[in-house]
Amino acid sequence: MSLVVSLGLVSVACSEPDDTPVVVTEVVVIEGEEVVVTRLVRQTIAITATPEPNAAPREPITLDLAYVGNFPNADPQTAASKASLDLIENAFVGLTRYNHQTNQVEPELAASWSVDGRTWTFNLRDDIYWVRPTERNGAYYDAVAIRPVTAQDVVYALQRICQRETQTPDAFTLFIIEGCERAYNLDILGANDIASIGAHAVDDYTLQFTLTKPASYFLTMTSMWMFTPIPAQEIEVWQAETPEKDWLAPEQLMSSGPFMPLPGTWNSNRVVLHPNPFWPLPRAGNVEIINLNYVESDENAFKLWEAKGLDISPLPAARIEAFIAASSGKVRLLPEQTVFYLGFNFDSGVFREPDVRRAFSAAIDREALVEDVYGGQVVAMRHLSPPGVFGAPPVDQAGIGYSPDYARLQMEASGFRSCRLMPPIRFMISTSDLSLLQAELIRGMWVDELDCEESQIEIVQVEFGTLLANTRADAGIARPDVWELGWASYYPDAHNWLSDLLHCSDSENRQNRPCSEPDDLLRQATAVTDPEQRITLYRQIENQFFGEGGLFPIVPLYARGNYVLVQNWLEYTPALFGGEQFDTYQIDADLKRLERSR
């Protein structure tokens, strides 16, 4: 049975509070047209809502954004772009939700969860619905709740990922789910193959995953867009009737998130979202209407922002220097989930000793690299896990970073005693001009701080494929002594950084580093499900790798970032991984109105 949100202004008066759901509908004006915004609330206090006879309708609090390109892919199991993830995050409910302020996983569709070894059980809410805006009725829109979102909707989404024909980006990350990798590698899948995937609906509101091994970081993965449920039973009906039709076609679209698209705007160059009237969860922000504009270039977005038509805009590269100098208060640098680093060859005659690796790391002035190579558009890193990752320390904590005195002391404590007594060093990098500039600056720092001879350090530029091949642990004599590479995360958890990149046996271990205490701690962190214990362990591991006396298998250098422009009337915590959560955005509507009137 569908739930229908009625039209018109509702006046509610009651003397005693109870838990009865109440539909509250308010007339607002959007671009000169009257539109009804409807909310389903539960009474907690006595309320009386009667509009004054001559009161002007209040303008809705509106968020205005722009993305470069056309209307994005909104399929949670195949999306990849930032515009896609932002739309999915707000139009569809997630299994769990990643809090970008605390870097913790919180309930959303899943109200609670438990873990028993390899089995994760999620208990789902029964009050989150698939919602469809109905036909326009005069100046208004009706909203219909079709049915609740169920465990089978999540299972269907996961089964799609584990089928190669879906072409989910980075589907291999879910091979940790039992049976997923096997199904993915089959050319022809039968019903039994799909049923053997370790994602099962125990009942409508109980979901169970069986993993290939205990993995505490699986909880972080459940907050990703890939785990977003899709309407399984409806899709199967549509595919049977019209196989060529996309389930996201505007005329049949159903959404389930905190906002829903208005009819006629989906799949166009401008999507308008307004609050889902059946959304049961509290909103931390005050945004009511969202205008998502799709434009041709960063420059077009910038001009709209400059005219105060947008709340946030990318900052075009050609304008960065001048704009930062003139209006630095409105510019934010948002670090990406990619960290660039130098890797050490533990088999080389140069970097076998940890004292030498510490010396060469501490001699690098990362802040100077940030300015000289990238004009400040990166965040200097002295440990591995970047901002926005569960378990990552703040950028100014954990790790030594640039410390010339410490670098010289470590060199003196090494078996070489002096850099000039070391054998020649092969420093391998990619063919880009920026890589060469960076390598030359780093070599200069080693010369200045460690008294190396420039001729000792040979910079070798090779194609990227050759760089990858020559830095494998089994590359033999082709392996350089030190090299430049980067690592991008697949999910926002320190495990995906420290373990997947550096563990002695659970990663490629390009350094060919022997196993030691940090690897034991990484295994321990995998088995511990208490978030605070995991955070403590990851901080300890970062220090054992990059702190005073650390092993320094690599030298973290920086996380690249992007500049955005933010109007002074908006407060928000950006999503450094995944989609933006517009229901947390806070707009000073009076200030926005005032600024736009000037």
Side-chain angles (χ1 to χ4, degrees), residues 12 19 61 141 172 176 207 221 233 314 395 418 446 458 545 579:
V12 180
D19 292 328
I61 299 174
Y141 292 94
F172 70 90
I176 193 174
L207 174 68
M221 297 174 73
Q233 64 192 56
V395 291
S418 168
W446 290 338
E458 178 192 9
F545 277 139

Side-chain angles (χ1 to χ4, degrees), residues 211-272:
L211 308 185
T212 59
K213 60 183 178 181
S216 58
Y217 54 90
F218 179 70
L219 182 62
T220 308
M221 297 174 73
T222 65
S223 69
M224 295 176 64
W225 55 96
M226 286 191 287
F227 279 80
T228 298
I230 59 177
Q233 64 192 56
E234 287 80 6
I235 291 175
E236 289 178 344
V237 170
W238 295 331
Q239 288 180 340
E241 294 175 349
T242 52
E244 72 284 354
K245 196 168 187 178
D246 185 356
W247 70 273
L248 288 164
E251 63 271 19
Q252 63 191 26
L253 174 70
M254 298 193 302
S255 60
S256 59
F259 296 93
M260 66 179 190
L262 293 183
T265 69
W266 188 260
N267 201 18
S268 67
N269 62 357
R270 178 170 172 267
V271 173
V272 179

Side-chain angles (χ1 to χ4, degrees), residues 44-288:
T44 55
I45 57 172
I47 59 173
T48 301
T50 304
E52 296 179 13
N54 300 317
R58 179 182 65 81
E59 290 187 8
I61 299 174
T62 304
L63 178 68
D64 299 287
L65 303 171
Y67 300 87
V68 177
N70 298 321
F71 179 82
N73 172 19
D75 184 334
Q77 281 77 59
T78 61
S81 72
K82 177 63 175 172
S84 295
L85 303 190
D86 285 359
L87 188 54
I88 290 166
E89 179 75 27
N90 294 280
F92 300 102
V93 66
L95 178 57
T96 60
R97 181 175 170 108
Y98 193 83
N99 186 318
H100 298 295
Q101 200 162 31
T102 65
N103 293 332
Q104 298 271 2
V105 178
E106 297 178 343
E108 193 163 72
L109 176 62
S112 63
W113 48 82
S114 61
V115 58
D116 182 10
R118 297 186 297 119
T119 303
W120 287 76
T121 303
F122 293 82
N123 303 303
L124 309 187
R125 301 180 67 103
D126 62 0
D127 58 355
I128 293 182
Y129 295 94
W130 289 110
V131 175
R132 177 182 292 147
T134 59
E135 293 182 0
R136 185 165 178 161
N137 185 353
Y140 310 124
Y141 292 94
D142 295 337
V144 179
I146 308 299
R147 64 171 176 84
V149 181
T150 67
Q152 185 56 38
D153 295 329
V154 184
V155 170
Y156 187 84
L158 269 292
Q159 289 174 342
R160 287 185 75 211
I161 295 171
C162 298
Q163 299 178 59
R164 197 187 320 154
E165 67 179 8
T166 305
Q167 297 185 342
T168 299
D170 305 326
F172 70 90
T173 58
L174 296 193
F175 289 175
I176 193 174
I177 297 175
E178 196 171 77
C180 185
E181 183 175 10
R182 176 183 174 278
Y184 191 87
N185 290 323
L186 290 174
D187 292 328
I188 301 176
L189 268 74
N192 290 338
D193 300 316
I194 295 175
S196 68
I197 296 169
H200 301 286
V202 178
D203 56 43
D204 281 350
Y205 304 109
T206 308
L207 174 68
Q208 204 163 75
F209 293 102
T210 304
L211 308 185
T212 59
K213 60 183 178 181
S216 58
Y217 54 90
F218 179 70
L219 182 62
T220 308
M221 297 174 73
T222 65
S223 69
M224 295 176 64
W225 55 96
M226 286 191 287
F227 279 80
T228 298
I230 59 177
Q233 64 192 56
E234 287 80 6
I235 291 175
E236 289 178 344
V237 170
W238 295 331
Q239 288 180 340
E241 294 175 349
T242 52
E244 72 284 354
K245 196 168 187 178
D246 185 356
W247 70 273
L248 288 164
E251 63 271 19
Q252 63 191 26
L253 174 70
M254 298 193 302
S255 60
S256 59
F259 296 93
M260 66 179 190
L262 293 183
T265 69
W266 188 260
N267 201 18
S268 67
N269 62 357
R270 178 170 172 267
V271 173
V272 179
L273 304 177
H274 77 124
N276 172 358
F278 298 100
W279 185 248
L281 298 173
R283 300 171 187 268
N286 66 348
V287 171
E288 294 170 316

